[in-house]
């Protein structure tokens, strides 16, 4: 076992020699939220290749105990938190981890433990908000993949991060690209615009009217990225890009009028920044989430990972505007950026309910847009002051979105 002494981490052993002590000083302790998911997988691949710099202090998951057991066997985390209330007590995992954490207090304690240097926020959807909040509130360095927490609660989380001196580093490939394109001492006045690239998803070439016949299977078939179910549907509707627009607005404190979306089907350029002197800087890699994760985990250093080189001589990069008919959803996202308050949480909640209903085959693909639009229109904009306000609007928006779904039949 091992102990934590303030900011120094020591292996607890009878005769710690100075050599192993020094090696451990630049060892960072990580809590990985959403360890059993797609981003969780990519994070573990990066950590596996950089074991001397990172130690998995804790993993947090929903209910996939089989996968947690595999992770535990390889990485030997100190703590495991499972959100699912009815844990299977006979599962093998409990033999080596009889004290699995399961309450919200335990979750908070784990994330805010003084030993923890880095929290990776990679739970899917609004369920990730509480944990992002815990990390920021404790002043942790937080690597944020869970864009929904920024979209829903940017008004709360961003000022809190400033007060608590919590560094927020983007993992989402577009935002990490922007992060890499910005000079360290970023001067926002030097930015002319940010260009977020979009693959366009599986329906890039479809006219809006043809979307009425697409199936769940079609929507899950993403051309360039392999991701969790919810974000894959968001990519098909382009709501993912809307969430990313709002995320960029909050993270980089840039007005939406200076954020442009451009479709780039090859997903090689992950985003670009144009400066006032006419220079545009782009970040490129083959589409693989380990690249932005390695950048984020490296903090100010470059970490080595195995990656597939871009073959430039065979590369054809193309760009195009977003296909017609999808403007409505982007108008809503831009309104969220301009008005803020409760609009982000309402937008996010209506989308989550709509996506869930589509996955359960209760509504058609095109109905997702109707659910979002009608729910969004129902609520006037108002201020949010606390996290509880966010949870309250989330609840109300979900109820309203369900009503809209009923009215569609
Ligand atoms: P997945 O669906 O693959 O994984 C979700 C993870 O969250 C799983 O580990 C799941 O656990 C866990 N989880 C779900 N609900 C809870 C809960 N209530 N408490 C604790 N853990 C929970 O999602 P992705 O990895 O694709 O996405 C994660 C986040 O990263 C999302 O916000 C997404 O938008 C963002 N993102 C993802 C990208 C990608 O390439 N996948 C790219 C950019 C951003 P279990 O499976 O055990 O139930
Ligand atoms: Mg992205």
């Amino acid at each position: 076992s091992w102990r934590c002494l303030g900011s120094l981490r020591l292996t607890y052993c009878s005769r710690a020699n100075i050599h192993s002590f020094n090696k451990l000083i630049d060892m960072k302790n990580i809590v990985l939220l959403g360890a059993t998911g797609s981003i969780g997988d990519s994070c573990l691949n990066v950590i596996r290749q950089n074991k001397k710099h990172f130690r998995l202090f804790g993993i947090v998951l929903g209910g996939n105990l089989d996968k947690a057991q595999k992770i535990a066997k390889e990485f030997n985390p100190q703590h495991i938190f499972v959100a699912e209330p009815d844990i299977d007590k006979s599962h093998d995992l409990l033999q080596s981890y009889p004290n699995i954490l399961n309450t919200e207090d335990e979750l908070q304690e784990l994330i805010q433990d003084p030993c923890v240097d880095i929290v990776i926020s990679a739970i899917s959807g609004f369920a990730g908000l509480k944990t992002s909040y815990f990390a920021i509130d404790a002043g942790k360095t937080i690597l944020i993949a869970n864009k929904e927490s920024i979209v829903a609660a940017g008004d709360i989380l961003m000022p809190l991060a400033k007060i608590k001196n919590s560094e927020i580093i983007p993992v989402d490939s577009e935002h990490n690209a922007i992060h890499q394109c910005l000079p360290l001492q970023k001067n926002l006045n030097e930015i002319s615009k940010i260009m977020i690239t979009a693959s366009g998803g599986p329906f890039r070439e479809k006219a809006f009217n043809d979307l009425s016949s697409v199936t769940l299977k079609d929507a899950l078939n993403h051309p360039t990225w392999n991701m969790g179910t919810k974000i894959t549907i968001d990519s098909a509707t382009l709501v993912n890009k809307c969430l990313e627009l709002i995320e960029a607005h909050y993270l980089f404190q840039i007005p939406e009028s200076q954020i442009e979306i451009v479709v780039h089907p090859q997903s090689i350029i992950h985003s670009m920044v144009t400066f006032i002197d006419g220079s545009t800087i782009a970040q490129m890699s083959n589409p693989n989430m380990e690249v932005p994760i390695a950048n984020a985990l490296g903090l100010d250093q470059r970490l080595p990972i195995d990656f597939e080189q871009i073959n430039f001589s065979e590369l054809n990069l193309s760009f195009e505007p977003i296909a017609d008919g999808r403007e409505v959803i982007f108008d809503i996202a831009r309104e969220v950026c301009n008005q803020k308050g409760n609009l982000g949480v309402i937008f996010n909640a209506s989308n989550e309910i709509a996506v869930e209903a589509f996955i359960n085959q209760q509504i058609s693909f095109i109905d997702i847009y109707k659910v979002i639009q009608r729910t969004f229109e129902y609520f006037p904009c108002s201020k949010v002051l606390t996290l509880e306000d966010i949870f309250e609007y989330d609840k109300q928006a979900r109820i309203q979105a369900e009503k809209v779904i009923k009215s569609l039949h």
Side-chain angles (χ1 to χ4, degrees):
S1 80
W2 56 303
R3 294 273 162 83
C4 163
L5 298 175
S7 62
L8 294 184
R9 285 153 297 282
L10 293 171
T11 302
Y12 181 73
C13 59
S14 51
R15 250 179 261 156
N17 66 45
I18 196 77
H19 181 64
S20 63
F21 171 70
N22 280 341
K23 269 205 319 214
L24 281 164
I25 278 190
D26 71 346
M27 183 75 123
K28 298 260 191 288
N29 287 322
I30 297 178
V31 169
L32 178 53
L33 310 168
T36 48
S38 158
I39 290 286
D41 266 344
S42 301
C43 289
L44 294 171
N45 282 342
V46 173
I47 294 169
R48 186 179 291 116
Q49 295 172 68
N50 290 276
K51 274 198 173 133
K52 61 177 192 283
H53 296 304
F54 303 106
R55 190 183 197 290
L56 214 51
F57 181 75
I59 61 170
V60 171
L61 56 132
N64 189 344
L65 299 186
D66 291 346
K67 201 153 177 189
Q69 192 184 9
K70 282 202 188 108
I71 298 170
K73 213 167 167 193
E74 181 181 355
F75 293 92
N76 193 24
Q78 197 76 3
H79 302 287
I80 299 181
F81 175 90
V82 178
E84 174 70 48
D86 300 316
I87 302 175
D88 170 13
K89 295 277 188 301
S90 66
H91 197 280
D92 283 352
L93 176 67
L94 276 91
Q95 286 179 4
S96 31
Y97 288 86
N99 299 320
I100 287 194
L101 312 178
N102 195 227
T103 69
E104 190 172 301
D105 285 349
E106 288 171 329
L107 178 60
Q108 177 169 10
E109 218 173 291
L110 168 63
I111 293 170
Q112 300 188 335
D113 191 301
C115 282
V116 174
D117 303 294
I118 296 175
V119 177
I120 305 179
S121 176
I123 290 172
S124 170
F126 188 77
L129 173 58
K130 226 358 156 358
T131 51
S132 296
Y133 181 87
F134 289 153
I136 293 172
D137 196 38
K140 301 293 184 193
T141 295
I142 176 170
L143 273 46
I144 196 113
N146 179 257
K147 59 192 96 191
E148 294 90 344
S149 38
I150 300 290
V151 170
D155 274 7
I156 307 289
L157 297 183
M158 297 312 292
L160 184 70
K162 216 170 193 173
I163 294 167
K164 302 285 176 153
N165 216 359
S166 157
E167 193 181 1
I168 303 181
I169 304 175
V171 164
D172 208 349
S173 58
E174 295 77 5
H175 305 75
N176 183 266
I178 296 162
H179 172 75
Q180 293 195 48
C181 293
L182 292 176
L184 273 182
Q185 303 296 334
K186 66 178 169 208
N187 180 354
L188 296 179
N189 297 328
E190 290 180 356
I191 298 173
S192 169
K193 68 175 173 183
I194 283 177
M195 264 168 296
I196 298 179
T197 52
S199 70
F203 307 136
R204 177 174 62 89
E205 286 168 325
K206 279 202 188 299
F208 190 72
N209 288 336
D210 294 340
L211 292 178
S212 49
S213 60
V214 302
T215 64
L216 176 62
K217 196 165 161 240
D218 299 332
L220 285 173
N221 187 18
H222 196 278
T224 51
W225 294 98
N226 192 356
M227 310 176 285
T229 310
K230 191 254 174 186
I231 185 175
T232 304
I233 302 299
D234 286 348
S235 299
T237 56
L238 296 184
V239 168
N240 183 48
K241 268 321 123 177
C242 296
L243 298 174
E244 291 184 353
L245 171 78
I246 302 165
E247 184 188 9
H249 166 71
Y250 273 117
L251 289 180
F252 303 110
Q253 315 269 304
I254 301 277
E256 59 76 23
S257 55
Q258 281 171 268
I259 308 174
E260 206 175 291
I261 313 278
V262 63
V263 175
H264 164 48
Q266 299 81 19
S267 298
I268 296 289
I269 292 183
H270 302 299
S271 277
M272 310 178 243
V273 179
T274 298
F275 295 89
I276 48 174
D277 61 359
S279 281
T280 296
I281 299 189
Q283 185 268 343
M284 306 167 90
S285 74
N286 278 314
N288 174 357
M289 284 309 294
E290 289 173 35
V291 176
I293 289 166
N295 173 269
L297 269 175
L299 305 176
D300 295 327
Q301 285 172 8
R302 295 279 172 186
L303 296 176
I305 57 163
D306 268 340
F307 66 95
E308 192 194 334
Q309 303 269 353
I310 298 174
N311 187 345
F312 281 91
S313 56
E314 281 180 8
L315 203 59
N316 274 310
L317 301 184
S318 62
F319 303 92
E320 62 197 44
I322 285 169
D324 287 345
R326 279 83 156 176
E327 300 85 0
V328 186
I329 202 79
F330 283 94
D331 289 348
I332 291 180
R334 290 188 183 278
E335 195 181 332
V336 172
C337 296
N338 288 322
Q339 313 268 355
K340 299 200 245 298
N342 59 346
L343 296 189
V345 59
I346 288 161
F347 178 56
N348 181 68
S350 62
N351 178 54
E352 288 193 13
I353 291 294
V355 169
E356 201 181 286
F358 173 67
I359 290 172
N360 295 333
Q361 318 223 337
Q362 287 170 275
I363 61 171
S364 73
F365 185 80
I366 221 133
D367 285 342
I368 297 176
Y369 296 104
K370 290 183 196 155
V371 174
I372 295 172
Q373 215 177 333
R374 291 182 197 170
T375 309
F376 191 77
E377 279 164 6
Y378 179 83
F379 290 93
C381 176
S382 74
K383 267 206 164 112
V384 286
L385 299 173
T386 64
L387 198 65
E388 286 67 40
D389 292 347
I390 302 284
F391 278 97
E392 183 54 33
Y393 280 114
D394 177 73
K395 199 169 101 192
Q396 287 181 25
R398 282 169 198 268
I399 293 169
Q400 188 55 28
E402 298 282 8
K403 281 188 191 158
V404 175
I405 288 172
K406 282 214 178 90
S407 76
L408 290 172
H409 298 304

